[in-house]
Amino acid sequence: TVAPTGAYCRPENPETLLLGKLHAAAAEVDFSYEDQDRIEAEFAPTSGVDAVPWGLWAELANFIPAVGEFEGFNAVTCGYYGTTPDHNPFLDFDPTTINLIRLVGFSGHGVMFGPFTALVARHLAEAGKQVGSVQADGVRVDVANFHIGRAYDSHERLVI
């Protein structure tokens, strides 16, 4: 469930509810794999009721009153959600490394993009160069919105 404010929740298992909301952050050039698990104090519910998780809980309880009856937090996690400026992945040949195909930038959309990505990968490998479109179920599909170096004027519109 996504609230109008962007806060969201979903059942994690029969006993717990996962809560979340986008926290935009500046790009970190030296970001490492270990940094994904770094929880800053303001995001730890143990930092007090002014911490972000408690505000998020209140925000969701505004829209879903039953959420207001929860018993507390049992875990906090964070994650790196890398994106391109238009939130579409790159499905293309790398412009600087010969014969390297880049199929990256999904950040959680991999399962949804999987079959299409495999189709584009096959066409790229067979062509040995950038392709403008692929044939999918008898329909020609433009892949320019996934080229490396594209203009970022076509944005993702919906994620289900």
Side-chain angles (χ1 to χ4, degrees):
T1 303
V2 182
T5 61
Y8 60 87
C9 63
R10 67 174 167 87
E12 187 71 357
N13 59 50
E15 290 84 37
T16 60
L17 188 68
L18 181 137
L19 311 178
K21 187 174 184 180
L22 173 67
H23 167 67
E28 294 182 45
V29 177
D30 296 325
F31 186 84
S32 71
Y33 181 77
E34 291 78 25
D35 290 331
Q36 307 191 91
D37 299 321
R38 181 180 64 216
I39 306 291
E40 297 165 2
E42 67 186 288
F43 295 97
T46 55
S47 295
V49 294
D50 290 332
V52 171
W54 294 99
L56 176 61
W57 164 75
E59 191 176 323
L60 282 164
N62 243 357
F63 296 99
I64 309 167
V67 170
E69 299 172 20
F70 86 109
E71 294 180 23
F73 295 94
N74 63 15
V76 174
T77 187
C78 65
Y80 175 68
Y81 193 90
T83 62
T84 59
D86 61 1
H87 298 273
N88 288 318
F90 291 128
L91 308 177
D92 199 2
F93 273 92
D94 186 288
T96 60
T97 305
I98 295 171
N99 293 327
L100 176 62
I101 297 173
R102 298 276 184 182
L103 307 167
V104 298
F106 303 98
S107 283
H109 298 72
V111 172
M112 292 184 278
F113 261 102
F116 181 70
T117 300
L119 179 69
V120 173
R122 188 188 91 212
H123 281 81
L124 288 167
E126 288 174 351
K129 62 181 181 174
Q130 184 179 74
V131 296
S133 64
V134 297
Q135 187 80 17
D137 293 330
V139 175
R140 183 76 35 206
V141 179
D142 182 4
V143 295
N145 287 335
F146 305 110
H147 286 165
I148 295 172
R150 66 186 176 257
Y152 296 111
D153 54 2
S154 177
H155 297 275
E156 171 186 73
R157 293 191 177 34
L158 177 66
V159 177
I160 297 176

